[in-house]
Amino acid sequence: MNRTEFRNLLRERVHILDGAYGTRFLQLGSDGRPGERLNLERPEIVETAHREYAEAGADFLLTNTFSANEPKLAALGCEADFVRINEAAVAIARRAAGGKCRVLGDMSSTGWMIAPLGDHTFDEAVQAFARQARVLVDAGVDGIIVETMTDLKELKAAVVGIREVSDSIPLIAHMTFEDDGHAVTGTPVEVFARVIGDLDVDVLGINCSLDPARLVLVFARLARATPHLLSVEPNAGRPGYDGCHVHYDATPEDFAAVAEDFAALGASIVGGCCGTGPEHIRILSHLLRKRKPAVRETTPDAVFCSRTRAVNLHPFAIIGERINPANRKAFAEQLAA
């Protein structure tokens, strides 16, 4: 599937993304093992979770590779299995999809902080993302999603690295925001929309951090700020801990109650993040899969962006300070020269 076909597909109707994997793996008996190791050690658990989401009505399955980049695997002592873990994840998702779902290669943060916030360079991050993208593309994914990103610069590195590998693979780019519409590193959702939207991506979106009712307010700001196709994955409410297990307070019905708001704002892809399971996706699919994404009229003005601010350049912007050569003979001579 090329990028034009992918975009046209998303304009036809709302597509359903799958739900959470970490919580589902625990329920299926992963015994707390790192999720990516399950691709090699307990592939039947991964395949069961994929099949459940496919049967619940998901159009897209995400590979179990969220933390399968080399820096994250090195922290787990699994860097030697980098290629095998990613290749196995694609094969498992393909088997579970059975030709009924498309498979997206799932990528996320390296765990590094990029200079000037940290010690790693932009180029190092680009190459880390490119190496994982190469394995996923060669293994046959239909597209790539980069999700749960909190640092704008690292997300830029991910997009650049993926596009070094392939300029034809469909690409979805997500960031994570708090209630105030800012990422934890200070980037407002409007800056994300403009900066990443100006890169070579097909879909912009938001996932994690917030429950559906709170996320819809931030998502509305994204929808106003960009003409791009949109994607969203809310959490299943707020997390709680009973002393043994983490649980989320939104029932599948609560979760789905806000789903139509995302479609009305123009979402082409809706799925679930932390705490969501097959039943959340089943109800979501029942409500939305026949809906057509709302048509949005957006006319974004030209802006100048830093990491944390967007300055509107319409109708014009004054940059710098007024130049006054009065009583400054040397300066006046320099201007004349």
Side-chain angles (χ1 to χ4, degrees), residues 13-275:
R13 66 170 177 85
V14 175
H15 281 66
I16 307 302
L17 203 61
D18 57 18
Y21 281 100
T23 47
R24 192 64 190 136
F25 289 158
L26 285 171
Q27 293 163 356
L28 291 170
S30 67
D31 301 322
R33 304 181 201 201
E36 288 67 29
R37 282 175 48 187
L38 297 175
N39 296 333
L40 302 180
E41 297 174 5
R42 296 290 304 278
E44 72 281 2
I45 288 179
V46 181
E47 187 166 347
T48 295
H50 282 317
R51 287 189 189 280
E52 289 177 335
Y53 286 128
E55 291 168 0
D59 297 294
F60 295 114
L61 296 179
L62 272 57
T63 57
N64 183 35
T65 52
F66 180 83
S67 294
N69 55 65
E70 286 178 306
K72 282 282 184 71
L73 291 179
L76 295 173
C78 303
E79 64 269 35
D81 292 321
F82 164 67
V83 173
R84 292 177 62 223
I85 285 173
N86 281 275
E87 288 179 340
V90 178
I92 294 167
R94 280 271 176 236
R95 285 199 303 272
K100 297 178 181 179
C101 308
R102 289 176 170 84
V103 172
L104 301 178
D106 194 17
M107 298 173 64
S108 190
S109 173
T110 59
W112 292 342
M113 292 302 289
I114 311 302
L117 297 181
D119 298 328
H120 291 274
T121 68
F122 183 80
D123 287 344
E124 285 176 323
V126 167
Q127 292 311 306
F129 287 113
R131 287 191 290 271
Q132 186 181 11
R134 169 54 64 196
V135 180
L136 294 173
V137 170
D138 288 348
V141 295
D142 297 305
I144 289 178
I145 181 170
V146 185
E147 59 174 354
T148 324
M149 300 295 282
T150 58
D151 177 30
L152 186 71
K153 198 166 187 179
E154 189 181 22
L155 180 54
K156 288 174 68 175
V159 173
V160 172
I162 292 163
R163 286 293 176 231
E164 282 188 359
V165 171
S166 172
D167 61 6
S168 62
I169 194 83
L171 177 55
I172 302 169
H174 279 202
M175 278 191 79
T176 295
F177 298 93
E178 302 300 320
D179 280 303
D180 63 358
H182 287 68
V184 296
T185 50
T187 297
V189 66
E190 291 82 4
V191 168
F192 157 68
R194 303 301 177 81
V195 172
I196 304 303
D198 276 350
L199 301 180
D200 197 11
V201 302
D202 299 289
V203 182
L204 295 176
I206 303 174
N207 76 286
C208 204
S209 182
L210 302 175
D211 61 53
R214 293 155 68 205
L215 187 58
V216 76
L217 302 176
V218 182
F219 188 76
R221 290 171 56 179
L222 174 63
R224 290 192 296 268
T226 179
H228 270 67
L229 293 166
L230 299 177
S231 171
V232 64
E233 300 171 78
N235 286 349
R238 288 183 286 259
Y241 183 62
D242 62 10
C244 297
H245 304 99
V246 175
H247 59 87
Y248 289 77
D249 63 4
T251 66
E253 293 77 13
D254 294 335
F255 176 82
V258 189
E260 291 185 326
D261 292 339
F262 292 114
L265 287 168
S268 292
I269 301 174
V270 183
C273 205
C274 300

